[in-house]
């Protein structure tokens, strides 16, 4: 009881002393979330009629959002591994924030799914009342729930450690959770998210056993980039560095390695596609480099630019990493949209003619609204939770 | 008379505006809330087709179909008949059965790779007149033996029944559209909005679906399991379609498959489709007519 009372006292005090800028920031996020999510309410009442999805392109920006946000959640687990597995104590100030970021991303991913499905209330019956064990959608959506539970447990244990209420056993639990979250996230969550698409033999671009690997590497790159971005922005807002120059340098090296793996897979994926002897493969290549060239360029040029930036030690500073992380996240968002939504533009029968899909505001607004809502939740949680440890 | 200040004008205009607009907004919002509550109730209870009895699968039967491309004239009567028989709303477009105009001539011996043009999008779904010098190709759900859609469905809303029909349980469908992404034949349709069917067109033997669920060809399960043939077979003016039991070697479908040159679509994907296409040249007289019109405004296709 005393712990709860202390926590509530801390939260109240933090909110009372928060400045005007904080409340303006929250208010703006609230407005964006309200406007954006009203689109989701309309879709819930009237169906997805107003969206640009079709029977030809059944998965639009919302499912791309699922893959993107799930990928972003990977960063949380990597920081946990660095702290608990590799003894990098300099990452401690980032630890709890990284878990919170991971949680928000999982919420966002599940929110995207719930806004996308035609019957979200019925979807809540998964996995207990409705299930099909051969479905990758079933396996991954169930794994997201497990991941969320794991992150919540990790958050609680880390907060206990931070406020000094965790004994020896509590610290051990935090350590164990931090370590097991990594294989769970990479092998179960991200691999199976990639497998959702990888098993679909009807779509040339998806049907490859390398897709789960690709999802893992791109998840690590985008997720770690987000953690870096949150660290830098928090440091700027607080006007004090959360981590030192050496840690920024290490973060840059880590991001560089994740980018090498992602760029390698991306490059050869596209290269093989362009040499593909199959009509579907060639048509996918032509769509990527024709009608949707800007998206393709954002993806590839962005990844190479971020890789080059992180490869130079001089650019592994807070400012340099701000740009390379932002570019990484945007490039991987473009990759997700390309892979999931644009790859469906290859007609299943060429007699159907040209298939078109450009997400409209009815699809984009809910994603923006959801992102704003979760940024708001993140802002509140980082304010009311005791995160300000500097190593313990 | 006192002159109104700018502040007072704004205030009065706001009150007048709110008086006019607000009731409508409130009404619209109320309607939206009602729709959401209904959706929640339907989503949880699942009442679609609860009052309609679907006969159980017939023992020892595996349904299949043969489509004779030498006889198909592209009139779209199969597509129309299917739509009316199965309570398919106008908002479902293209219909379950899509008919393509190919660039091949009648009597030409073809393979699948000839028919399905693999080089350039042709856009031959939306033809408006029948041509004597063209062959036509109807495509629909192939009721695959190894159906990818049934494997990927997270709720078993779509499943393979014992008689070979790939069925839908609309009360289990969450509308995730994974089956649509996984189907190599583009055979599934999603209700993007609430389906509306004129009362006089409703077939009481077939359930009316709700918005947010996927639907597809069921080989007219309400007819075929009662010993009738499918509607598309019944309405075909040139008898280009044959339906029957593939397990029975004496059935018309089995005889056609064993005696005539045929192919199935995308066999390389190992889906084992149960629709066979005959390609042998035919010299039978054809009743050429105008095709029934197709709504050209197809969601997702370039207009």
């Amino acid at each position: 009881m005393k712990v709860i009372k202390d926590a509530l006292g801390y939260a109240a005090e933090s909110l009372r002393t928060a400045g005007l800028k904080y409340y303006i920031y929250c208010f703006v996020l609230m407005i964006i979330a309200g406007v954006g999510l009203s689109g989701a309410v309309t879709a819930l009442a009237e169906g997805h009629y107003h969206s640009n999805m079709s029977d030809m392109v059944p998965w639009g920006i919302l499912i791309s959002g699922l893959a993107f946000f799930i990928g972003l959640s990977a960063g949380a687990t990597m920081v946990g591994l660095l702290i608990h597995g590799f003894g990098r104590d300099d990452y401690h100030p980032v630890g709890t924030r990284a878990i919170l970021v991971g949680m928000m991303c999982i919420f966002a991913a599940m929110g995207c799914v719930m806004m996308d499905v035609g019957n979200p209330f019925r979807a809540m019956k998964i996995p207990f009342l409705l299930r099909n064990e051969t479905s990758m959608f079933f396996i991954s959506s169930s794994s997201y729930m497990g991941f969320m539970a794991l992150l919540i447990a990790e958050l609680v244990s880390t907060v206990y450690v931070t406020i000094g209420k965790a004994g020896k056993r509590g610290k051990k639990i935090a350590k164990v959770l931090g370590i097991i979250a990594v294989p769970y996230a990479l092998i179960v969550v991200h691999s199976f998210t990639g497998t959702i698409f990888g098993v679909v033999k009807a779509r040339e671009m998806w049907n490859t056993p390398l897709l789960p690997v690709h999802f893992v590497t791109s998840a690590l790159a985008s997720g770690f980039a987000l953690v870096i971005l949150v660290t830098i922005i928090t440091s700027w807002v607080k006007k004090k560095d959360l981590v030192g120059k050496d840690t920024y340098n290490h973060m840059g090296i880590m991001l560089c390695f994740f980018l090498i793996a992602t760029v390698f897979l991306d490059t050869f994926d596209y290269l093989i596609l362009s040499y593909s002897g199959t009509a579907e493969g060639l048509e996918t290549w032509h769509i990527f480099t024709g009608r949707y060239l800007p998206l393709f360029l954002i993806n590839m040029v962005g990844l190479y630019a971020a890789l080059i930036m992180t490869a130079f030690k001089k650019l592994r500073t807070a400012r340099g990493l701000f740009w390379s992380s932002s570019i990484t996240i945007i490039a991987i968002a473009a990759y997700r949209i390309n892979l999931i939504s644009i790859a469906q533009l290859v007609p299943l029968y060429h007699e159907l003619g040209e298939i078109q899909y450009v997400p409209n505001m009815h699809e984009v607004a809910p994603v923006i609204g959801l992102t704003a809502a979760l940024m708001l939740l993140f802002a509140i949680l980082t304010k009311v939770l005791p995160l300000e440890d500097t190593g313990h | 008379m006192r002159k109104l200040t700018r502040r007072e004008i704004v205030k009065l205009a706001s009150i007048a505006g709110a008086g006019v607009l607000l009731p409508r907004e409130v009404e619209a919002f109320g309607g939206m809330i009602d729709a959401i509550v209904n959706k929640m109730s339907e989503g949880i209870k699942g009442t679609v087709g609860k009052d309609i009895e679907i006969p159980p699968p017939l023992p020892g039967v595996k349904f299949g179909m043969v489509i004779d491309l030498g006889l198909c004239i592209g009139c779209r009567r199969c597509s129309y008949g299917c739509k009316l028989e199965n309570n398919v709303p106008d908002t479902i477009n293209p219909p379950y059965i899509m008919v393509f105009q190919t660039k091949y001539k009648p009597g030409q011996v073809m393979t699948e790779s000839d028919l399905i043009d693999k080089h350039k999008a042709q856009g031959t779904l939306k033809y408006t007149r029948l041509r004597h010098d063209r062959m036509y190709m109807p495509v629909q759900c192939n009721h695959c033996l190894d159906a990818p859609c049934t494997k990927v469905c997270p709720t078993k809303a779509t499943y393979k029944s014992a008689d070979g029909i790939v069925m839908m349980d609309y009360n289990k469908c969450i509308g995730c559209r994974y089956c649509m992404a996984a189907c190599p034949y583009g055979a599934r349709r999603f209700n993007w909005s609430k389906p509306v069917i004129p009362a006089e067109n409703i077939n009481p033997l077939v359930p009316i679906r709700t918005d947010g669920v996927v639907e597809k060809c069921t080989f007219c399960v309400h007819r075929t399991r009662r010993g009738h043939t499918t509607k598309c077979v019944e309405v075909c003016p040139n008898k280009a379609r044959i339906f029957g039991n593939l397990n029975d070697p004496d059935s018309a479908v089995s005889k056609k498959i064993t005696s005539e040159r045929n192919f199935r679509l995308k066999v390389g994907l190992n889906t084992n489709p149960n629709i066979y296409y005959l390609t042998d040249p035919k010299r039978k007289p054809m009743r050429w007519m105008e095709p029934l019109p197709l709504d050209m405004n197809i969601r997702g296709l370039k207009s």
Side-chain angles (χ1 to χ4, degrees), chain A residues 38 41-60 63 116-126 130-138 141 195-197 199-203 206-207 279-280 283 344 347-357, chain B residues 32 35-36 39-40 42-44 46 93-94 98 100-101 115-118 120-125 139 142 148 150-156 170-178 180-186 188-190 192-193 211-213 265-266 269-271 298-302:
Chain A
S38 67
V41 176
T42 311
L44 187 61
E46 298 172 8
H48 286 301
Y49 180 74
H50 300 293
S51 77
N52 272 352
M53 289 183 284
S54 64
D55 293 340
M56 320 292 162
V57 184
W59 280 351
I63 295 294
D116 182 75
V117 298
N119 262 301
F121 301 110
R122 191 174 292 159
M124 287 173 192
K125 291 183 178 178
I126 296 177
L130 291 174
R131 61 180 168 274
N132 180 9
E133 293 79 4
T134 64
S135 168
M136 290 304 142
F137 205 94
F138 167 78
S141 53
T195 315
I196 291 177
F197 309 97
V199 296
V200 176
K201 50 191 174 184
R203 313 275 173 177
W206 296 355
N207 191 213
E280 289 82 2
E283 181 129 3
Q344 291 172 76
L348 293 169
Y349 300 104
H350 285 66
E351 284 73 6
L352 284 172
E354 191 178 303
I355 293 174
Q356 294 177 322
Y357 173 72
Chain B
M32 214 179 255
I36 293 171
K39 202 165 198 173
M40 189 191 291
E42 171 54 35
I44 294 164
N93 190 29
M98 295 186 285
F100 301 130
Q101 191 176 55
L115 271 169
I116 303 297
D117 195 324
K118 287 191 180 294
K120 202 165 182 272
Q122 298 288 317
T124 55
L125 171 69
V139 293
N142 282 262
T150 60
K151 282 183 199 159
V152 300
C153 175
T155 62
K156 291 184 183 167
Y170 305 112
N171 296 318
K172 282 187 180 174
C173 180
I174 60 165
C176 67
R177 307 186 293 284
Y178 197 3
M180 297 174 76
C183 174
Y185 305 104
R188 292 174 161 268
R189 304 286 178 265
F190 185 67
W192 298 100
S193 59
D211 71 305
V213 298
L265 289 177
K266 303 187 183 185
L269 297 177
N270 288 323
T271 52
I298 297 175
R299 203 182 166 92
L301 288 189
K302 194 177 180 183

Side-chain angles (χ1 to χ4, degrees), chain B:
Chain B
M1 197 174 157
R2 188 173 68 90
K3 214 174 172 186
L4 291 172
T5 63
R6 190 183 296 165
R7 187 179 291 247
E8 283 168 332
I9 291 170
V10 171
K11 199 174 171 184
L12 283 172
S14 307
I15 293 167
V20 172
L21 292 176
L22 216 59
R24 283 186 205 164
E25 298 301 317
V26 167
E27 200 177 320
F29 185 70
M32 214 179 255
I33 296 295
D34 282 348
I36 293 171
V37 170
N38 287 342
K39 202 165 198 173
M40 189 191 291
S41 162
E42 171 54 35
I44 294 164
K45 286 183 198 159
T47 55
V48 175
K50 288 280 183 200
D51 51 344
I52 296 172
E53 191 202 335
I54 295 175
L58 302 171
V61 168
K62 189 180 119 188
F63 287 126
M65 189 177 277
V66 166
I67 300 175
D68 194 333
L69 299 180
L71 292 176
C72 177
I73 56 169
C75 64
R76 297 202 187 105
R77 270 162 180 74
C78 50
S79 190
Y80 265 68
C82 163
K83 181 180 156 126
L84 287 173
E85 178 69 26
N86 290 291
N87 293 337
V88 180
D90 287 339
T91 42
I92 298 270
N93 190 29
Y96 291 173
I97 301 175
M98 295 186 285
V99 187
F100 301 130
Q101 191 176 55
T102 74
K103 60 181 181 181
Y104 297 96
K105 292 178 180 170
Q108 205 167 340
V109 179
M110 291 160 293
T111 62
E112 183 204 356
S113 57
D114 288 331
L115 271 169
I116 303 297
D117 195 324
K118 287 191 180 294
H119 300 290
K120 202 165 182 272
Q122 298 288 317
T124 55
L125 171 69
K126 298 176 180 177
Y127 59 90
T128 51
R129 68 186 186 92
L130 297 179
R131 291 178 58 165
H132 291 250
D133 59 341
R134 289 287 183 272
M135 290 197 71
Y136 292 87
M137 169 117 190
V139 293
Q140 62 191 83
C141 173
N142 282 262
H143 295 275
C144 311
L145 193 63
D146 297 312
C149 54
T150 60
K151 282 183 199 159
V152 300
C153 175
T155 62
K156 291 184 183 167
T158 186
Y159 58 96
K160 187 83 185 159
S161 66
D163 52 3
I165 302 176
V166 175
M167 290 288 290
M168 273 299 299
D169 183 341
Y170 305 112
N171 296 318
K172 282 187 180 174
C173 180
I174 60 165
C176 67
R177 307 186 293 284
Y178 197 3
C179 54
M180 297 174 76
C183 174
Y185 305 104
R188 292 174 161 268
R189 304 286 178 265
F190 185 67
N191 283 286
W192 298 100
S193 59
K194 196 173 172 112
V196 179
I197 303 165
E200 65 274 16
N201 287 352
I202 291 175
N203 179 355
L205 296 174
V206 179
I208 295 171
R209 282 72 70 182
T210 56
D211 71 305
V213 298
V214 173
E215 58 179 76
K216 63 178 281 297
C217 156
T218 60
F219 263 166
C220 291
V221 65
H222 56 286
R223 296 166 60 97
T224 50
R225 284 186 185 166
R226 292 188 172 102
H228 305 290
T229 189
T230 62
K231 194 70 181 177
C232 55
V233 170
E234 192 180 282
V235 297
C236 179
N238 245 17
K239 306 288 176 220
R241 289 170 173 263
I242 308 164
F243 179 79
N245 180 6
L246 293 172
N247 281 346
D248 177 5
D250 295 325
S251 67
V253 277
S254 299
K255 282 180 180 169
K256 281 282 182 190
I257 293 165
T258 48
S259 65
E260 291 194 36
R261 180 198 295 267
N262 66 74
F263 68 84
R264 292 180 292 170
L265 289 177
K266 303 187 183 185
V267 280
L269 297 177
N270 288 323
T271 52
N272 275 318
N274 277 329
I275 292 190
Y276 295 76
Y277 291 89
L278 303 186
T279 60
D280 276 349
K282 297 286 182 303
R283 297 295 175 205
K284 292 176 185 174
M286 291 185 180
R287 284 185 285 155
W288 295 98
M289 2 179 176
E290 289 297 309
L292 290 172
L294 177 78
D295 180 358
M296 297 296 166
N297 188 21
I298 297 175
R299 203 182 166 92
L301 288 189
K302 194 177 180 183
S303 53

Side-chain angles (χ1 to χ4, degrees), chain A residues 56-68:
Chain A
M56 320 292 162
V57 184
W59 280 351
I61 198 84
L62 286 164
I63 295 294
S64 302
L66 155 75
F68 175 64

Side-chain angles (χ1 to χ4, degrees), chain A residues 11-24:
Chain A
E13 180 61 18
S14 297
L15 288 172
R16 196 179 60 78
T17 53
L20 181 66
K21 279 181 189 169
Y22 172 79
Y23 284 106
I24 291 172

